[in-house]
């Protein structure tokens, strides 16, 4: 993750494909993180290494990776681990909280349909 892009590994796909036999590479650009206030996006406050995300494929990027987007309410981080190793709980669309330390960390959180 750098200030402009996050490089991700695609390990699962919807539409009946499930877990992929071989993972693929993907790129989430700063402008594809959310629908509003795109210039104010800070990549490290949106996702972190090790997070599990739900994203949509926008297009085939280059020969090595797909361009992905999290710019919908249902897309974003669905699983994250805190710095103390605990599974974090979503507390808003832009933050998750560690249940052990009660520390909040910024993320672009996906709204999970129950």
């Amino acid at each position: 993750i750098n200030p402009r892009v996050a490089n991700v590994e695609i390990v699962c796909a919807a539409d009946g494909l499930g877990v992929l036999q071989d993972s693929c590479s993907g790129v989430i650009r700063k402008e594809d993180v959310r629908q509003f206030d795109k210039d104010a996006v800070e990549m490290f406050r949106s996702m972190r290494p090790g997070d599990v995300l739900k994203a949509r494929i926008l297009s085939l990027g280059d020969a090595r990776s797909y361009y992905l987007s999290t710019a919908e309410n249902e897309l974003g981080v669905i699983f994250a681990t805190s710095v103390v190793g605990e599974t974090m709980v979503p507390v808003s669309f832009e933050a998750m909280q560690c249940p052990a330390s009660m520390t909040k960390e910024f993320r672009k959180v996906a709204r999970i349909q129950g």
Side-chain angles (χ1 to χ4, degrees):
I1 296 178
N2 69 47
R4 293 179 293 130
V5 298
N7 293 299
V8 300
E9 181 181 12
I10 303 169
V11 296
C12 188
D15 299 329
L17 294 176
V19 177
L20 302 177
Q21 192 169 17
D22 295 314
S23 64
C24 306
S25 295
V27 173
I28 301 174
R29 299 171 296 190
K30 179 180 173 177
E31 60 268 22
D32 296 323
V33 171
R34 62 181 183 213
Q35 294 172 323
F36 60 92
D37 222 6
K38 295 179 179 192
D39 294 334
V41 170
E42 294 179 55
M43 293 301 287
F44 202 70
R45 290 173 60 111
S46 301
M47 55 199 70
R48 305 248 178 111
D51 287 356
V52 176
L53 300 138
K54 182 176 182 182
R56 184 170 317 285
I57 295 175
L58 292 175
S59 66
L60 180 59
D62 54 28
R64 298 178 306 240
S65 61
Y66 292 94
Y67 284 133
L68 307 174
S69 171
T70 59
E72 295 174 34
N73 291 339
E74 294 76 25
L75 305 177
V77 177
I78 58 173
F79 177 85
T81 306
S82 70
V83 278
V84 295
E86 293 288 326
T87 300
M88 299 185 76
V89 178
V91 292
S92 73
F93 69 94
E94 62 182 9
M96 296 184 99
Q97 186 173 33
C98 174
S101 68
M102 301 308 284
T103 304
K104 290 183 183 177
E105 296 180 16
F106 288 102
R107 298 289 201 283
K108 195 293 185 180
V109 180
R111 180 177 57 191
I112 304 298
Q113 301 296 322

